[in-house]
Amino acid sequence: MTTKTANHFTTTTEKEKQMTLSGYTYQIGDLFTTSKTGVTGRIYSFAPQSNTVTRVGLQLANGSKRFAMVKTSK
């Protein structure tokens, strides 16, 4: 579970704070660019959907938010 408190993100477990993709580990607050549409934003949440897919919440530079479905590795 990810919560926002005064511009600071916290999560309940270490596993929920990280995502591994093609050998790179991403965390809350990292910049992430989607491969399909090329949209870049700061990661504000992770929500594993299955063993190989994670829904990543991105906050874009213009302040809007969007989700990306990302194939992840364990």
Side-chain angles (χ1 to χ4, degrees):
M1 180 173 150
T2 303
T3 57
K4 181 180 178 186
T5 308
N7 294 328
H8 195 80
F9 294 97
T10 58
T11 55
T12 55
T13 67
E14 188 65 30
K15 186 174 179 114
E16 291 177 354
K17 285 198 274 185
Q18 296 182 340
M19 169 185 71
T20 301
L21 176 64
S22 300
Y24 295 98
T25 300
Y26 294 92
Q27 299 180 43
I28 302 293
D30 286 348
L31 279 177
F32 184 79
T33 301
T34 63
S35 61
K36 205 171 206 180
T37 59
V39 173
T40 300
R42 291 225 174 256
I43 298 171
Y44 72 88
S45 69
F46 294 113
Q49 302 296 298
S50 70
N51 287 340
T52 58
V53 176
T54 299
R55 187 172 78 167
V56 178
L58 299 175
Q59 180 158 6
L60 310 182
N62 65 7
S64 64
K65 293 182 178 180
R66 67 176 290 159
F67 289 100
M69 300 301 279
V70 179
K71 290 183 183 178
T72 54
S73 55
K74 288 286 178 179

